[in-house]
Amino acid sequence: MALVIDSRIKDLNPWVEEFRKYLPDQEVLTWPTDDVEHIDVAVTWYHHRELFTSLPNLKMIASLGAGVDHIVEDASIPDDVYVTRVIHESISWSMSNYCIAAILYHQRRFDKYLLDKQNVVWDQQHPPERDISVGIVGFGVLGQDLGRKLRQLDFEVHGLSMTKKEIDGISTYTFDQMGDFLQRVNVIVGLLPMTPQTKDFFKKDFFDQVTQGSFFINVGRGAQQVDEDILSALNSGQLSGAFLDVFPREPLPGDSGLWGHPRVMITPHIACITKIDIAVPQIVENYNRIGRGEIPLHLADVSRGY
Ligand code: NDP
């Protein structure tokens, strides 16, 4: 039995070191390797395209993070292979903290006071809080953690997903109830997985339907948003502001109109970064499960794409 790690974009050395700590008697390889026959498990983050078809005995593909879009977009995944992702309370903790910070930045008018400070303006607004109702688009593991924490802070919360959820104190909607959902919220948090259906999800048609003056936060994936349509919605007043962690092109190009827009906050895809010491033990547990012929934990559904 052996495990191979592959990424086109990540420095794999610390990952290899950590895997070897947990699997001292096993082969921990990096791609490319000639030793393909023994490999049961591939651990990937934006892998080389030939990887899956080069491994004749592959049984599991493990994402190094929460998303599996970089795996399932490759049509060469063999049918009978498990795809797993990392789910951990520390990921939800980071993501929920980021989103709560973005929501409070708007709710406590810090966006306005940041501009006032630049212009040396002392202008107390009453009441000090904006009246908000938060809508979470993509109500899965991360969305639900955020929803529960917002409820504990006494915010009104609505969650939208493909299938109906039941969570105390939160109004939930399915995809076909989008119009109803958008009428009830004025802060929108994008927490969707990247699939063919969610590409360009946050575009003109979407912003035309939101409550006028809504605040938009996106922490899902950049290809889900159309930057020009966000700018148009800001300039027409459909959106009052945007807080963005992801972009269709990353790094965000220097000539993007988002950089200079006074009502846009930008962070460089840092809402939540998977920690090696969290991800590796989970993947090792699944590697051992494969060795015992058991089903791994935290499976993604390849047919749904997430
Ligand atoms: P989950 O798979 O647990 O949840 C995804 C949710 O989206 C589910 O509720 C699903 O519905 C819903 N959904 C899927 N497609 C649609 C659609 N077309 N319309 C409406 N709802 C839809 O994922 P997580 O919560 O763990 O993570 C979400 C995403 O966050 C990840 O895929 C990743 O891309 C991103 N992410 C970003 C990070 C960052 O640093 N910016 C860090 C970590 C993750 P249903 O429940 O019915 O299936």
Side-chain angles (χ1 to χ4, degrees):
M1 216 177 148
L3 171 148
V4 68
I5 314 176
D6 181 37
S7 173
R8 300 192 306 270
I9 59 169
K10 243 187 208 305
D11 169 18
L12 292 177
N13 289 323
W15 289 85
V16 172
E17 224 173 274
E18 191 75 4
F19 272 109
R20 288 194 174 138
K21 264 198 250 165
Y22 283 87
L23 297 169
D25 306 325
Q26 304 281 320
E27 273 188 284
V28 175
L29 307 165
T30 50
W31 188 257
T33 173
D34 290 333
D35 196 4
V36 292
E37 294 288 330
H38 294 117
I39 295 171
D40 301 274
V41 171
V43 182
T44 71
W45 190 256
Y46 296 92
H47 58 278
H48 291 91
R49 280 296 166 226
E50 74 283 3
L51 181 72
F52 301 155
T53 49
S54 308
L55 303 175
N57 296 313
L58 187 63
K59 296 188 182 64
M60 177 178 103
I61 304 165
S63 170
L64 285 180
V68 293
D69 42 318
H70 54 99
I71 297 173
V72 298
E73 70 186 11
D74 182 344
S76 74
I77 302 179
D79 285 344
D80 49 354
V81 162
Y82 296 115
V83 175
T84 66
R85 65 198 193 102
V86 180
I87 298 180
H88 193 271
E89 57 192 19
S90 74
I91 296 181
S92 306
W93 185 82
S94 260
M95 181 57 90
S96 292
N97 281 0
Y98 177 98
C99 294
I100 291 167
I103 292 164
L104 294 180
Y105 169 86
H106 169 70
Q107 190 246 356
R108 292 307 313 252
R109 306 182 194 268
F110 290 160
D111 42 2
K112 170 192 157 41
Y113 293 123
L114 204 59
L115 288 174
D116 285 357
K117 177 172 175 278
Q118 280 162 19
N119 298 320
V120 196
V121 170
W122 180 278
D123 174 35
Q124 288 181 331
Q125 292 279 305
H126 299 282
E129 297 95 356
R130 291 189 173 114
D131 194 10
I132 66 163
S133 162
V134 182
I136 303 171
V137 182
F139 207 49
V141 171
L142 298 177
Q144 289 179 34
D145 186 75
L146 173 64
R148 288 196 176 93
K149 286 171 179 165
L150 287 169
R151 280 300 303 137
Q152 283 165 13
L153 295 172
D154 278 343
F155 286 111
E156 182 179 329
V157 182
H158 302 256
L160 179 108
S161 47
M162 291 301 280
T163 54
K164 181 86 173 155
K165 309 287 184 259
E166 297 291 341
I167 296 185
D168 264 4
I170 298 182
S171 312
T172 56
Y173 306 76
T174 49
F175 181 72
D176 52 323
Q177 296 170 304
M178 175 78 83
D180 192 17
F181 167 82
L182 288 177
Q183 273 176 22
R184 289 161 201 268
V185 304
N186 59 11
V187 171
I188 296 152
V189 183
L191 253 170
L192 285 168
M194 190 66 227
T195 67
Q197 292 72 41
T198 62
K199 178 158 172 29
D200 296 340
F201 193 96
F202 301 112
K203 59 175 191 253
K204 183 176 184 307
D205 289 358
F206 179 89
F207 296 123
D208 284 350
Q209 293 179 65
V210 304
T211 312
Q212 202 179 27
S214 287
F215 188 72
F216 176 60
I217 299 164
N218 196 15
V219 283
R221 285 286 184 264
Q224 290 157 0
Q225 80 198 24
V226 178
D227 288 354
E228 294 70 29
D229 293 356
I230 295 176
L231 284 166
S232 302
L234 285 163
N235 294 334
S236 72
Q238 266 312 92
L239 290 181
S240 59
F243 202 115
L244 306 171
D245 185 52
V246 290
F247 303 90
R249 276 184 63 200
E250 294 178 6
L252 180 65
D255 62 357
S256 166
L258 291 170
W259 282 113
H261 200 288
R263 282 180 282 121
V264 176
M265 176 68 182
I266 289 170
T267 55
H269 204 144
I270 47 72
C272 168
I273 292 174
T274 312
K275 295 183 186 74
I276 295 181
D277 57 338
I278 297 294
V280 170
Q282 274 199 9
I283 298 170
V284 167
E285 162 68 18
N286 279 339
Y287 176 85
N288 291 331
R289 281 175 175 251
I290 291 289
R292 297 193 296 263
E294 294 171 10
I295 297 173
L297 304 171
H298 309 318
L299 289 176
D301 180 341
V302 177
S303 64
R304 284 186 323 184
Y306 61 96

